[in-house]
Every structure is written in structure tokens, then in C-alpha cells.
Amino acid sequence: MYKQANVIIWMLILIITSIWGYSWVMMKASLSFMGPFTFSAFRFGIGAVTLLLIVLIWKVKLPPKEQWKHLIVVGVLQTTIVFLLVMYGLRFVDAGKSSIILYTMPIWSSILAAKFLGETLTKKKWVGLLIGMLGLFMVIGWDFFSEQRMNVIFGEILIVISAVSWAASNVYYRKKLEGLSKLQVSAFQMLFGTVGITVAASIMEWGEPIHWNGELISYILFTGVLASALCFTAWFIILSRIDMVTATLSTLLVPVFGLFFSLLLLDEIITTNIIYGSILIIVGIIICVGTGPMSKGSVPSSH
């Protein structure tokens, strides 16, 4: 019975991470129909409403009022900044490469945790960080020497900043909100983060045409309801059954699926430096996450 339960959990993990990986294809494809900020506003607006309905159905209590300001900060760092920059960066950078760059987040989390949480960077963690940084250099640094267009490099820098912002939200969560349930934090940070995205979309993309059709609506519903809310909720159930280190490492399947679906559906070119760099990043993250407490305290995200 226990073995059967483990098989079901790992099947769920594969389904969820493949959906999150596939979302990168849809995020990239959506840019043909509407602006990047507008898409994010629709996606996370629907996602936030769905998550809040789940909170209501499960009768999860509202967060204490004194914690709302911290939830706003996490929402801005985790949802507003990350997805404004990621979606804008996707205008110039391939979806597969973007997913790899964003998932360097655990590396930045380790660095910020050492600075702001007083965590020790052991020799093993330093090795992991150096390996991960070498991988990141192989993925994007190569472009500086290969006559790559400047807008591509600009997009890659935006996604690196997104990864740092995601890491900062994790550190802030551990410092201010660790007492709250992750479902509470996720639902309300998404709500507040969506407000920020909507404001940005209204300022930057007001009056821009939206080409509504069935394809675009499917992208919004898939990424908003399925990837951002329902998979999110299923992920919390999984977190109650497995340890956080295993859960954190299993999310590394997301950029792997992102690369696979981008190659299969978008005909993106996966170069050898992206493959080798991705391997180094994943190895570096495994070393970092497996050797410190940072793995126990991160805000799950449907990237």
C-alpha cells in the first residue's frame, strides 16, 4: 500500500512539473495575441480567484492583519516583479532557455540566505554555487561572445533579475511569514502580486490590441486555472507527504520539461552550451539544496 502511494505521488509530481514546463510554451505563444503584462494580469487574476475559492472551500482562515504588509511584499517580489520581467524577457529569449535561467533561483536563495538569514556557506555549498554559476555563464554568457543580438542579452538579464527576485521572496517569507500556511501565503501573495501586474499593464499596455480567439483563451485558462491554481493546490498535498528537499529537487524537472516542449512545439534550437550549462546548473542546485536549510523554506511558484 505504501509503495502504491509513493508511485501515485511521483506520478502526480511528473504531471504537475510537466504542466509547469508546458506553461512556458504557452507563455511564449501568448505574445502573438496580447502584450506580456496584459497576459500576466489575466493569468494571475484568474489564478488568484481560483486559489481564493479553494481557500474558501477548505475553510482556511484569513491571514492576521499584521501580516498583510508582508504578504504584499512577497506578492510584489514573487508575482509582480518575477512575471513582469519574465514575460517581457520572453519577447526576446527562447522559452526553454528562459525556464533554465529562472530556475537558478535556489542558487541566489543560498547567497541571500547567507547575507540576510545568517546561514553558513559551507565548502560543499560554495562548490555548488560555483558549479551553478559556471552553468549560468555557459547558458547566457556565451551569447556575449557569439555576436548575439543585444535585445536577447537584455531579455536574459531581465530573467536573471527575476530569479533573484524570486529568491528574495523566499528569504523574506522565511524571515516574516514562516508561521503562516503556505496555502495562505500563496493565495494572498498572488492576489496582491496580481494587483501590481494589473497596474503595470494598465500603464504600459493601455489601448494595445488584444486578438481574442479560442487559442488565447485556452492559454489563459491553462496557465491561470490549471498551472497556477489547481497544480499549486495539488503541490501542497504532495508537500504534506514528502520531505522538502525531495520536493525542491523535483521542481528541477520543470525547466527540463520546458526545454523539451520548447524544442518539440516551438522548434527552438537547443545548443550544446545550453545543454551542458543546464546540467551544471542542476548539479549545482542539487549540491546547494542538499547541504543547507534553505530547502525547507521557499514559496512554491507555478513557473
Side-chain angles (χ1 to χ4, degrees), residues 199-300:
V199 170
S202 299
I203 295 171
M204 301 296 293
E205 296 176 354
W206 185 265
E208 288 191 14
I210 299 175
H211 304 288
W212 288 107
N213 54 42
E215 190 176 350
L216 176 58
I217 291 170
S218 70
Y219 294 161
I220 293 171
L221 292 177
F222 184 96
T223 56
V225 177
L226 185 57
S228 296
L230 298 183
C231 281
F232 227 23
T233 306
W235 189 251
F236 292 118
I237 296 171
I238 291 171
L239 287 177
S240 68
R241 302 295 181 90
I242 63 175
D243 64 276
M244 185 59 73
V245 172
T246 303
T248 302
L249 293 179
S250 66
T251 61
L252 294 178
L253 290 169
V254 177
V256 173
F257 280 123
L259 278 174
F260 171 74
F261 287 126
S262 299
L263 176 65
L264 185 68
L265 301 173
L266 298 178
D267 296 323
E268 293 182 354
I269 298 172
I270 309 299
T271 58
T272 52
N273 60 293
I274 292 177
I275 293 171
Y276 294 142
S278 301
I279 292 170
L280 288 175
I281 288 169
I282 290 171
V283 169
I285 289 171
I286 289 171
I287 294 171
C288 286
V289 170
T291 57
M294 192 60 216
S295 56
K296 74 180 181 181
S298 62
V299 186

Side-chain angles (χ1 to χ4, degrees), residues 49-66:
V49 168
T50 308
L51 262 182
L52 290 172
L53 284 174
I54 293 169
V55 165
L56 190 64
I57 292 167
W58 283 7
K59 297 179 180 175
V60 177
K61 293 180 180 178
L62 289 174
K65 286 185 179 180
E66 62 270 16

Side-chain angles (χ1 to χ4, degrees), residues 37-38 40-49 52 68 71-81 83-84 186-204:
F37 301 163
T38 305
S40 292
F42 276 106
R43 173 192 174 178
F44 288 104
I46 291 173
V49 168
L52 290 172
W68 283 48
L71 287 166
I72 291 171
V73 173
V74 171
V76 170
L77 291 171
Q78 162 75 14
T79 297
T80 305
I81 293 176
F83 283 96
L84 287 179
S186 298
F188 286 92
Q189 71 83 13
M190 189 179 291
L191 174 65
F192 295 131
T194 302
V195 172
I197 290 174
T198 304
V199 170
S202 299
I203 295 171
M204 301 296 293

Side-chain angles (χ1 to χ4, degrees), residues 23-207:
S23 291
W24 283 89
V25 172
M26 293 196 160
M27 288 158 61
K28 180 77 172 180
S30 71
L31 299 177
S32 301
F33 304 105
M34 63 168 53
F37 301 163
T38 305
F39 175 79
S40 292
F42 276 106
R43 173 192 174 178
F44 288 104
I46 291 173
V49 168
T50 308
L51 262 182
L52 290 172
L53 284 174
I54 293 169
V55 165
L56 190 64
I57 292 167
W58 283 7
K59 297 179 180 175
V60 177
K61 293 180 180 178
L62 289 174
K65 286 185 179 180
E66 62 270 16
Q67 300 283 33
W68 283 48
K69 60 184 178 184
H70 301 309
L71 287 166
I72 291 171
V73 173
V74 171
V76 170
L77 291 171
Q78 162 75 14
T79 297
T80 305
I81 293 176
V82 170
F83 283 96
L84 287 179
L85 297 185
V86 162
M87 287 302 298
Y88 197 79
L90 273 171
R91 297 178 69 177
F92 315 112
V93 186
D94 287 347
K97 185 191 280 190
S98 298
S99 66
I100 287 291
I101 297 171
L102 185 64
Y103 272 80
T104 61
M105 176 276 293
I107 295 172
W108 305 109
S109 289
S110 295
I111 295 170
L112 293 177
K115 174 69 175 175
F116 296 103
L117 299 178
E119 291 186 3
T120 304
L121 286 176
T122 62
K123 287 182 180 178
K124 200 170 181 181
K125 250 190 176 179
W126 272 114
V127 170
L129 289 173
L130 290 173
I131 291 173
M133 287 299 183
L134 177 61
L136 181 62
F137 179 78
M138 287 191 71
V139 171
I140 67 172
W142 199 267
D143 291 342
F144 284 93
F145 305 103
S146 62
E147 299 181 2
Q148 185 60 269
R149 291 172 298 169
M150 284 307 299
N151 58 355
V152 174
I153 294 170
F154 173 68
E156 291 169 346
I157 291 170
L158 290 182
I159 297 168
V160 170
I161 296 170
S162 302
V164 175
S165 184
W166 184 8
S169 75
N170 290 336
V171 172
Y172 193 89
Y173 162 76
R174 285 189 58 198
K175 206 170 178 67
K176 301 292 185 180
L177 291 168
E178 207 164 16
L180 295 182
S181 77
K182 288 196 173 182
L183 185 55
Q184 279 180 316
V185 174
S186 298
F188 286 92
Q189 71 83 13
M190 189 179 291
L191 174 65
F192 295 131
T194 302
V195 172
I197 290 174
T198 304
V199 170
S202 299
I203 295 171
M204 301 296 293
E205 296 176 354
W206 185 265

